[in-house]
């Protein structure tokens, strides 16, 4: 009944600055100029939309869970995982911009390459690249 994820909504402090960062660092395209007080719509390579919406409370898009870490400790979870076919280029872009990156690229074998990072507002994401066939 549900086919796929069409878009996601991300809280940001400044939609204009965030749109610039998402375009420059992650390679997304801005759909239309940002109107004052409104959000930005970023378009990913395959057409999915990411809405960057002003959020006055400043809470980043993360949550804590004990289900992720091997030892059951609390883990700051990322609610969105992107895919890429250019992990090394993305990693270089993130590092060059001074973005917080949790670790180096991890090779998770049959689960592919994985990398966790945060945008300038502290929203935490993971990106994954399928393993070579």
């Amino acid at each position: 009944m549900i086919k796929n994820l069409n878009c996601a909504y991300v809280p940001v402090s400044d939609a204009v600055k965030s749109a610039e960062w998402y375009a420059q660092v992650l390679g997304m395209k801005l759909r239309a100029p940002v109107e004052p007080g409104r959000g930005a719509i970023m378009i990913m390579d395959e057409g999915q939309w990411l809405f960057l919406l002003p959020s006055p409370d400043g809470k980043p898009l993360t949550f804590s869970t004990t289900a992720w870490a091997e030892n059951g400790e609390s883990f700051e979870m990322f609610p969105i995982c992107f895919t890429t076919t250019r992990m090394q280029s993305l990693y270089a872009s993130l590092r060059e911009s001074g973005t917080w990156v949790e670790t180096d690229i991890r090779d998770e074998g049959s689960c592919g390459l994985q990398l966790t990072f945060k945008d300038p507002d502290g929203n935490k994401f993971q990106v994954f690249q399928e393993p070579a066939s």
Side-chain angles (χ1 to χ4, degrees), residues 24-27 84-97 105 113 115 127 129:
Q24 181 180 31
V25 177
L26 302 182
T84 187
T85 57
R86 300 175 43 206
M87 184 67 81
Q88 296 296 335
S89 296
L90 175 59
Y91 179 70
S93 181
L94 290 165
R95 298 295 290 182
E96 184 177 301
S97 73
I105 297 170
L113 301 177
L115 181 65
V127 62
Q129 180 174 321

Side-chain angles (χ1 to χ4, degrees), residues 57-79:
D57 67 9
K59 288 185 178 180
L61 190 61
T62 64
F63 63 94
S64 296
T65 182
T66 56
W68 194 256
E70 294 282 330
N71 58 7
E73 289 184 11
S74 183
F75 178 81
E76 182 187 45
M77 191 66 186
F78 45 87

Side-chain angles (χ1 to χ4, degrees), residues 24-37:
Q24 181 180 31
V25 177
L26 302 182
M28 295 182 188
K29 307 263 187 291
L30 181 62
R31 183 172 183 267
V34 181
E35 297 177 30

